[in-house]
Amino acid sequence: MPLTYDRTIVVEKLDELRSSIPDGRTLLGLGMLEVTSQMKRMSQKRASVVIILTDGVLDRSTQILSVKEANTARTLGGTVLAVGVGDFNPSQLIEIVGGSKKLVFKAASFDGLNRIVKHVIDGSCVEISSVEPEIICANSSFEVSVSGRGFNKSGDSAHVKCNFWFNKTTSLLVTPTSFSPTLLTCPSPQRVALRPGDVVVLQVTLNDGVSFVSSNVTITTGVCESSPGVVWAALFLALLALS
């Protein structure tokens, strides 16, 4: 099945899978090869999640190919997780997901998969829920707070960056000044002069810009008027200069 956001296609392919008769072999390596082939054909760098589901023990050649393609998926910006069902080899799956036990989930049987769905989602999803402020002043430095979840999924906060995409033409990475799994604080990039009406799209990357998690929130540049106190102070100084 090709990568798609179309729920109808996903449901159709799942229905086809229900009528399929497996031959008993675990060909995980070939499945991973198809995954990375599709990722390479993607026109945009998107944060991808690869979830492996297996109930078998892999032979050596399949294990080698699976590890190789999982490494390729990560270099393309993907996160690889594994779900083992019944009689599987945990050490094989740990190697495939990159060595982290936290990325391997297990179920006693296929009937028990429903009980671990939430754990898999929590272990895989990275999302931006809000960005503040949504309006910034033209030609002024600013700071944004990015709320969401999963910002710690990379395992190393040094790889986490905010990406400011100005008017869909210029993209600049910035290191957050504060970091938590649910909140990032990012300063404005230097050497960027924003004009009234400019639009900034904020993205987050967990892998130094290999792929990005986007939000539906845009930041708009407006004209910020001086406060009355500043205006009166300037007028007072001008009168003193004339006296």
Side-chain angles (χ1 to χ4, degrees):
M1 182 180 72
L3 294 175
T4 179
Y5 294 102
D6 191 327
R7 184 180 180 87
T8 302
I9 295 177
V10 174
V11 172
E12 288 177 355
K13 294 301 180 181
L14 287 175
D15 288 339
E16 291 179 12
L17 186 62
R18 291 188 181 96
S19 61
S20 300
I21 301 176
D23 63 6
R25 293 180 296 168
T26 301
L27 302 178
L28 179 59
L30 296 179
M32 288 298 301
L33 185 61
E34 177 63 25
V35 168
T36 55
S37 296
Q38 292 192 32
M39 292 177 70
K40 290 175 183 177
R41 293 195 296 268
M42 293 173 64
S43 58
Q44 293 180 310
K45 294 180 179 179
R46 298 181 184 272
S48 304
V49 177
V50 180
I51 301 178
I52 297 167
L53 176 64
T54 181
D55 65 344
V57 177
L58 309 180
D59 60 42
R60 186 57 185 162
S61 61
T62 299
Q63 175 72 4
I64 292 173
L65 180 58
S66 299
V67 171
K68 175 179 177 293
E69 294 306 316
N71 289 336
T72 300
R74 281 187 285 272
T75 63
L76 295 171
T79 299
V80 181
L81 297 87
V83 178
V85 180
D87 186 19
F88 67 98
N89 187 332
S91 62
Q92 288 184 327
L93 298 188
I94 291 172
E95 183 182 11
I96 292 171
V97 301
S100 174
K101 294 181 180 180
K102 294 181 180 180
L103 298 179
V104 176
F105 305 86
K106 58 183 177 180
S109 65
F110 285 102
D111 291 334
L113 288 175
N114 286 335
R115 290 191 289 271
I116 67 170
V117 168
K118 184 179 184 302
H119 298 294
V120 175
I121 292 174
D122 290 341
S124 61
C125 289
V126 181
E127 64 178 353
I128 299 172
S129 57
S130 65
V131 176
E132 294 289 341
E134 295 184 14
I135 299 177
I136 56 178
C137 299
N139 298 317
S140 299
S141 60
F142 58 91
E143 187 176 74
V144 296
S145 297
V146 187
S147 299
R149 65 172 176 169
F151 298 146
N152 60 334
K153 290 294 187 289
S154 70
D156 187 350
S157 61
H159 298 305
V160 179
K161 302 286 190 300
C162 289
N163 185 56
F164 291 88
W165 194 20
F166 299 97
N167 297 321
K168 296 185 177 181
T169 57
T170 304
S171 182
L172 294 173
L173 290 175
V174 173
T175 300
T177 55
S178 67
F179 169 88
S180 79
T182 58
L183 182 66
L184 302 176
T185 302
C186 298
S188 59
Q190 298 179 356
R191 303 183 304 277
V192 175
L194 294 175
R195 299 166 297 180
D198 284 349
V199 176
V200 182
V201 176
L202 186 73
Q203 301 172 316
V204 171
T205 174
L206 306 186
N207 45 33
D208 290 318
V210 176
S211 62
F212 298 97
V213 179
S214 298
S215 68
N216 294 323
V217 180
T218 57
I219 303 172
T220 305
T221 306
V223 177
C224 299
E225 298 180 357
S226 301
S227 65
V230 173
V231 174
W232 280 111
L235 180 60
F236 178 71
L237 291 174
L239 291 174
L240 285 178
L242 294 174
S243 61

